[in-house]
Amino acid sequence: LAILEASGVAAELDLDAVPVLDGALELSERGVRSSLWPENHSAIEARMFGAVDTAKAALLYDPQTAGGLLATVAASDAEAALGELAAAGVKAAAIGRIVAAEPRLTLV
């Protein structure tokens, strides 16, 4: 959300494309949350739209499973960037796109 606000754009996130750590979804389904989860959730929930009440969406608020690195690349460069990362042994996924709109995150 900070990237979106700084850039004055919105993002559409494909929740199905977001990779998760082994066991994370099962823990989320059981309601296991980190101590920072409530604070992150309340800071972001008003700016997120879509299926936010699912166990997988709940992982987006968890600082331990929300991902260590988020990068944006031009859509025309995405496939090549993913290929180069894979060749280097780095797990990566295209999880959404940036759109011209008021800063917010929409789950699609």
Side-chain angles (χ1 to χ4, degrees):
L1 191 56
I3 292 171
L4 301 176
E5 289 174 343
S7 303
V9 295
E12 294 177 347
L13 179 69
D14 179 358
L15 191 57
D16 290 336
V18 175
V20 297
L21 298 172
D22 290 340
L25 187 56
E26 292 80 10
L27 289 171
S28 184
E29 289 169 343
R30 294 189 349 222
V32 176
R33 307 282 188 259
S34 73
S35 60
L36 294 176
W37 191 94
E39 183 179 337
N40 287 349
H41 182 265
S42 65
I44 298 171
E45 70 177 326
R47 304 294 290 280
M48 187 179 293
F49 303 92
V52 295
D53 291 331
T54 67
K56 189 164 185 182
L59 294 173
L60 299 175
Y61 303 107
D62 192 311
Q64 299 175 90
T65 59
L69 177 64
L70 176 66
T72 60
V73 298
S76 59
D77 297 332
E79 189 174 324
L82 289 171
E84 290 179 30
L85 288 166
V90 176
K91 292 182 181 180
I95 61 169
R97 66 188 190 113
I98 302 298
V99 295
E102 177 182 332
R104 68 174 184 269
L105 178 61
T106 302
L107 300 182
V108 294

